[in-house]
Amino acid sequence: MIENKYKDFNIYTFDRKYINLAQLIIDKKYSIVSKLKDTPRNFVAIIEIENQKYVLKEPRNEYRIPQRQLFSFFKDGEALASLKNINKLIYNYNFKEFVEIFLAANKRKNGFIVDSFILMEFVDGEIKNDSHHKDIAINLMKSIHSKHIYHGDFNPSNFIFDKKNDIKILDTKGDSFWFGNYRAHYDMITMWYDSYDDMIYPYPKNFFYYLAFIFKILKRNSLLQKIKFYKKKLRDRGWKI
């Protein structure tokens, strides 16, 4: 991996040609084609640099939520971890379905991350919510789980089909799991519980399945949802909770 320093930002990439792109982004020398998300938690936009489209993402929660910023002192951070993990999955495990991450950058103050972004490939495609395309995503996810990798937000909106009808995976850090298959079950339960009522469950229902199911139910508890909603509103107002 190549590392470069520019205007207080640490730039990371596996290909030197992307360093200039990172510098242009830091200098705001790009045009926004379309904003996909602009919230206190995340900024995601299709941008254009020298007639080439990319997707720019700023994961803001990392320096908005105190406990996550505290952990950033000891960890790579979301941007750098995503760059490492996704490139490993594409080039070591040959999962070409992942949207490629070209570079990551972060700024640290006293060791804590205070700003970061990643630059990804732009895929011209669409989300397909029918059972056939959901099943394609499920079968792909089973292959990824077999390498002890999980998605973390396994739902149809994070899978896009390009003009050739090839699937592409979005919005994941590609983290690993090793103790049991709790994470694999949680992925599948998320798809089934949130988006695919008539899904045929693909795994045997073991202890980790029931544990994941209980946590999924608890997360949907109305009282916990209200607490989460008010915490989010307070964070959006600047409260450090």
Side-chain angles (χ1 to χ4, degrees), residues 3 42 59 70 82 99 122 125 203 217 228:
E3 299 182 28
N42 281 299
L70 177 64
S82 298
V99 168
F122 167 72
Y203 295 140
I217 296 298
K228 186 177 179 180

Side-chain angles (χ1 to χ4, degrees), residues 126-187:
E126 61 179 312
I127 296 165
K128 296 187 177 181
N129 210 20
D130 59 274
S131 59
H132 171 68
H133 288 91
K134 288 176 185 174
D135 287 338
I136 292 173
I138 289 167
N139 288 329
L140 174 58
M141 209 65 232
K142 286 173 64 180
S143 297
I144 294 167
H145 286 158
S146 72
K147 302 297 182 183
H148 298 276
I149 306 295
Y150 68 98
H151 189 285
D153 189 12
F154 185 41
N155 68 74
S157 67
N158 286 327
F159 292 78
I160 193 169
F161 290 84
D162 64 19
K163 292 181 177 179
K164 297 179 181 178
N165 207 35
D166 292 330
I167 191 170
K168 285 287 187 177
I169 306 171
L170 309 170
D171 202 21
T172 177
K173 290 191 294 182
D175 280 334
S176 303
F177 65 90
W178 296 104
F179 178 67
N181 61 347
Y182 168 86
R183 291 291 188 178
H185 279 300
Y186 198 89
D187 270 350

Side-chain angles (χ1 to χ4, degrees), residues 3-11 23 106-108:
E3 299 182 28
N4 189 268
K5 189 86 172 179
Y6 184 73
K7 292 187 177 180
D8 296 328
F9 275 88
N10 306 297
I11 301 168
Q23 293 172 347
N106 62 41
K107 183 194 292 186
R108 291 180 181 267

Side-chain angles (χ1 to χ4, degrees), residues 69-90:
Q69 188 173 51
L70 177 64
F71 288 131
S72 77
F73 186 88
F74 307 99
K75 295 184 176 183
D76 287 336
E78 182 176 336
L80 179 54
S82 298
L83 174 73
K84 289 179 176 180
N85 293 347
I86 299 304
N87 275 271
K88 180 180 179 181
L89 288 167
I90 293 172

Side-chain angles (χ1 to χ4, degrees), residues 91-106:
Y91 293 104
N92 291 13
Y93 291 130
N94 202 36
F95 284 118
K96 304 299 184 185
E97 297 87 355
F98 282 91
V99 168
E100 187 170 1
I101 297 177
F102 299 130
L103 64 92
N106 62 41

